[in-house]
Amino acid sequence: FQAEDGIRDYKVTGVQTCALPISASAEAMDQRSALAAWRGVFTEILGGGDAASLQHQLEQRLALLPELAPLAPLITEVLPLQLQESPLTREMTGEVRGESTRRLLGGILSQVARDGATILLFEDAHWADTASRSLLKRLVEEEAPLMILSTTRPPLNGQRSILSDMDECKVIELASLHDDEIEQIVGAEIGINTVPTQLLTWVKKRVAGHPFFARELVRALRETQAVSIRDGRIAVGNLESLSLPMTVEGIISSRLNQLTAPQQLTLKVAAVVGRVFSEQTVRDTHPLPEADVAKHLETFTHHSIITPHDANTRDTYAFRHVLLRDVTYDQMPRNQRRTLHRAVAAWLEIGRAHV
């Protein structure tokens, strides 16, 4: 497959496939939250919607898995549902409860895969918490009937890779992009076939073969009018005089600073909700009720900050890259971050109360 900003933008090339893709994504700020990487997966499997809808879909799934039905209350480890403990789960603690939870979740995923060809996309696995890693390992070891594609960074400072304990996997190490590939990215972002040598040399020197950095840098050039299309021809300003940051995080910050204050606040609310978020959640938890959330999301989409997450669910979006979310999140003062987290937590509790 060919990846763009992240594995969600994958394109299968040279292969005809009708497999169902399911996306999981681990994030640095969720490492202390068990099974955080799998929340989106099971929300997607159960059709999304409110808590009542999720619970109904869960009951339908488990009707086909009667041996797992007594474990149903353990789904609350990944979904905001209020289910009464069964006599079996009430007595479970520690590793027994953890293993039973993985058995339940693995069983549901295996059933989905048996319904039809399924690809599990597990992105940024290096951020996954221990429980999320254990579930992924269980799926591999039990040979669940699905294809698993995972992205992860190389381990640093003696760390163990998530793949080190998995025998049944093939590792493909990705190198930096070649110059001609960077040229393709630059041309695609601007909408031209031939990139001026001056511009291409300037970009290549700064991005060191990093595709996401290249995209963000070119987008920053477009937004600051350092590069523009005039009368069908490209116009390139004095690039050496620009004071753009030299890191991808700095470039992202410079782009976000081009947004208006109300737009930045809306984006921060979305960042608190998560890598994937719904328009409804952002609207309901926004500190300014009069904010035009829908218009803001259109702007973010236009500037390639977010993208629709599911073609079948127009209300749901995702940050195009985890760094876009992380930089947005890190721009918030601690007090603002705390206030927005409280608002999102209160919204989740209301959702649970309606089950």
Side-chain angles (χ1 to χ4, degrees), residues 58-309:
L58 174 65
E59 291 169 352
Q60 288 193 322
R61 283 280 176 191
L62 293 181
L64 302 175
L65 299 167
E67 72 281 6
L68 296 179
L71 301 178
L74 300 178
I75 199 75
T76 57
E77 299 292 334
V78 291
L79 295 178
L81 302 179
Q82 285 188 329
L83 300 181
Q84 295 294 325
E85 294 278 3
S86 68
L88 178 62
T89 62
R90 189 177 297 115
E91 303 300 321
M92 290 181 176
T93 59
E95 180 53 31
V96 171
R97 189 177 183 90
E99 175 58 28
S100 297
T101 301
R102 292 190 289 273
R103 180 186 167 207
L104 170 67
L105 300 180
I108 294 174
L109 281 167
S110 293
Q111 183 205 45
V112 171
R114 285 193 293 271
D115 290 343
T118 304
I119 300 176
L120 172 63
L121 311 175
F122 198 103
E123 193 171 4
D124 293 328
H126 49 276
W127 293 127
D129 60 273
T130 301
S132 291
R133 288 171 172 241
S134 296
L135 177 55
L136 183 63
K137 182 180 178 183
R138 181 188 183 96
L139 293 172
V140 173
E141 291 178 343
E142 295 193 352
E143 298 183 352
L146 51 79
M147 179 180 185
I148 301 174
L149 300 178
S150 176
T151 63
T152 183
R153 295 177 185 172
L156 300 175
N157 301 324
Q159 297 174 336
R160 288 179 63 82
S161 167
I162 189 173
L163 305 175
S164 59
D165 296 326
M166 301 181 191
D167 296 328
E168 300 298 323
C169 68
K170 180 177 181 179
V171 177
I172 303 174
E173 296 186 3
L174 302 181
S176 299
L177 294 187
H178 297 136
D179 289 352
D180 60 332
E181 294 168 320
I182 293 295
E183 182 176 10
Q184 291 177 26
I185 289 176
V186 175
E189 284 297 325
I190 300 174
I192 57 176
N193 294 323
T194 303
V195 181
T197 302
Q198 172 197 7
L199 173 59
L200 183 59
T201 301
W202 189 86
V203 171
K204 289 190 301 184
K205 185 170 72 172
R206 283 157 179 78
V207 304
H210 192 299
F212 178 65
F213 195 177
R215 284 193 174 87
E216 288 301 298
L217 186 57
V218 175
R219 288 165 185 166
L221 293 175
R222 293 293 305 274
E223 291 169 5
T224 58
Q225 297 298 305
V227 172
S228 60
I229 300 294
R230 301 173 186 171
D231 300 325
R233 301 178 64 181
I234 185 171
V236 181
N238 185 358
L239 300 178
E240 298 303 330
S241 67
L242 295 177
S243 58
L244 288 174
M246 297 299 293
T247 65
V248 64
E249 292 85 358
I251 289 293
I252 292 172
S253 292
S254 71
R255 293 190 63 220
L256 298 182
N257 289 339
Q258 301 298 316
L259 300 173
T260 66
Q263 290 170 345
Q264 289 184 38
L265 179 56
T266 298
L267 194 63
K268 289 172 182 177
V269 174
V272 169
V273 176
R275 169 82 183 271
V276 179
F277 58 90
S278 72
E279 179 181 334
Q280 186 66 49
T281 308
V282 174
R283 184 183 297 112
D284 289 348
T285 57
H286 203 292
L288 300 178
E290 70 277 11
D292 192 347
V293 171
K295 189 67 175 178
H296 292 172
L297 296 181
E298 287 181 12
T299 299
F300 304 154
T301 302
H302 174 72
H303 288 288
S304 298
I305 298 171
I306 65 173
T307 185
H309 180 63

